[in-house]
Amino acid sequence: MSTTYGRGAEGLKQVEVSVPSPKKGELLVRVEAASINPLDWRFQKGVGRPFLPSKFPFTPVCELAGEVVELGAGVGDLRPGDKIIAVNFPRSGGLAEHAVVSASNAALRPPEVSAVEGACIPIAAATALMALKTAGVGLDAGDGPAKKVLVTASSGGVGTFAVQLASLAGHHRITATCGARNLDLVRGLGADETLDYDTPEGASLRGPSERKHDAVVHCAEGFPWSAFKPVLADKGGVVVDLTPRIASVAVAVLHWLCFSKKRLVPLIESPKKQDMDALMGLVVQGKIRTVVDSRYPLSRAHEGWAKSMSGHATGKIIVDMVDDAE
């Protein structure tokens, strides 16, 4: 639980609180696993201030998996005992043994998908899916033309899913940037060309092939539009920005007004239930997998928080309420 803005991992305190009660359209969930995302600690830093968090004390983390304990009024498609995953935004509450979530933001979790796997899907995998769709990248063999796709920060929580999803169709060419230690991992996820972001090639976003990109899933921070424009295809390309700032939003508006062929598009959609269902189906079929950096028990959630803030996680950081951390 966080009692004020800021202070990072030190600002999290473990306290005893009463079990919340679900209202109309809500579920009480026994949390089995939760996944820490940059979005969570950005709220703690005050990015959404003064609206998010709406009040303190505040229990953070939006991405979770668990078991339905109790139904609020009007919930008819779920029942106690169901295993679910959920994106609990803006309420959060994942760093607790119980959380109340909106039924409309929850999806049934099949038995083949573990709680840890499920906790990686509602935000990270769904964001990757939405970004690729926004960029016009088809995920099936017959779904649109072949594209040259770039994924930045490809070894992170969203990036690892973006590379896998883009490779499903089999005809896209995928370039991915990451740190040197993760190059082999990202190639194993489906990237055709991997660039160490500490090299000149990685910094310029173009590898030895010199190919330009039709679509970019931009998971990293710190690249201005001027870095992308020369590496986009001459016929036009789109950069989907997952971490938009005021400057990038202004650029995106200008591109929209001018009908630019080369465009920056901030991703502002929310994950949808049907996307979560589709992604869990892909996990069950073995077509995508979760990459977990580390797991922590609830009593050590602050360590996972600090690891996420460091920016050096490979894949997802999990707080595991059920099993001992590995």
Side-chain angles (χ1 to χ4, degrees):
M1 177 173 288
S2 179
T3 57
T4 185
Y5 289 112
R7 299 188 61 200
E10 293 182 359
L12 297 183
K13 304 298 181 184
Q14 188 167 2
V15 298
E16 293 287 336
V17 297
S18 58
V19 176
S21 298
K23 299 178 181 178
K24 183 177 180 180
E26 295 179 339
L27 312 168
L28 175 63
V29 176
R30 180 181 296 109
V31 181
E32 296 175 336
S35 177
I36 299 171
N37 291 284
L39 178 71
D40 299 311
W41 47 261
R42 286 185 182 126
F43 283 150
Q44 185 199 41
K45 281 187 169 184
V47 168
R49 192 173 189 171
F51 306 105
L52 295 172
S54 59
K55 62 180 180 179
F56 289 101
F58 177 75
T59 304
V61 176
C62 303
E63 192 174 30
L64 59 91
E67 179 179 318
V68 176
V69 175
E70 183 182 344
L71 307 179
V75 178
D77 55 345
L78 293 167
R79 60 186 180 184
D82 283 342
K83 301 289 188 178
I84 60 102
I85 63 172
V87 52
N88 205 24
F89 178 83
R91 171 178 284 172
S92 298
L95 289 190
E97 294 175 342
H98 292 85
V100 167
V101 306
S102 171
S104 62
N105 291 338
L108 280 169
R109 173 167 57 89
E112 299 91 342
V113 179
S114 70
V116 169
E117 290 173 319
C120 301
I121 291 173
I123 292 180
T127 296
L129 179 61
M130 291 186 295
L132 289 166
K133 288 181 177 179
T134 300
V137 178
L139 304 186
D140 297 314
D143 185 11
K147 300 260 188 177
K148 297 179 180 66
V149 181
L150 170 68
V151 180
T152 65
S154 61
S155 60
V158 176
T160 52
F161 283 114
V163 171
Q164 293 178 82
L165 290 168
S167 70
L168 288 179
H171 61 285
H172 303 307
R173 302 293 295 174
I174 304 163
T175 300
T177 69
C178 62
R181 66 189 176 92
N182 291 319
L183 293 172
D184 289 340
L185 167 69
V186 173
R187 277 192 290 267
L189 295 175
D192 301 290
E193 186 174 55
T194 52
L195 308 177
D196 176 358
Y197 53 62
D198 283 332
T199 64
E201 290 176 342
S204 66
L205 304 177
R206 293 181 72 174
S209 68
E210 288 292 314
R211 60 172 173 252
K212 293 187 175 182
H213 314 296
D214 302 303
V216 179
V217 177
H218 181 38
C219 308
E221 296 185 28
F223 284 90
W225 168 248
S226 58
F228 290 107
K229 187 175 180 180
V231 300
L232 290 177
D234 295 332
K235 64 181 179 180
V238 59
V239 177
V240 181
D241 188 359
L242 307 189
T243 58
R245 303 295 175 90
I246 293 176
S248 59
V249 172
V251 169
V253 171
L254 180 63
H255 291 168
W256 179 75
L257 291 173
C258 297
F259 301 98
S260 301
K261 292 191 298 181
K262 297 183 179 184
R263 296 179 294 122
L264 180 68
V265 179
L267 186 69
I268 54 175
E269 291 186 68
S270 298
K272 300 177 178 64
K273 181 179 181 299
Q274 56 265 39
D275 289 338
M276 290 190 276
D277 289 334
L279 288 161
M280 283 189 290
L282 293 174
V283 174
V284 170
Q285 296 169 46
K287 293 184 176 181
I288 62 173
R289 65 181 178 91
T290 59
V291 177
V292 175
D293 176 275
S294 48
R295 290 165 60 175
Y296 302 87
L298 183 58
S299 60
R300 294 170 51 209
H302 60 283
E303 296 179 33
W305 195 268
K307 180 67 178 289
S308 180
M309 292 188 72
S310 75
H312 298 303
T314 300
K316 298 292 291 176
I317 297 172
I318 299 294
V319 177
D320 191 339
M321 316 293 180
V322 178
D323 298 322
D324 291 335
E326 293 184 346

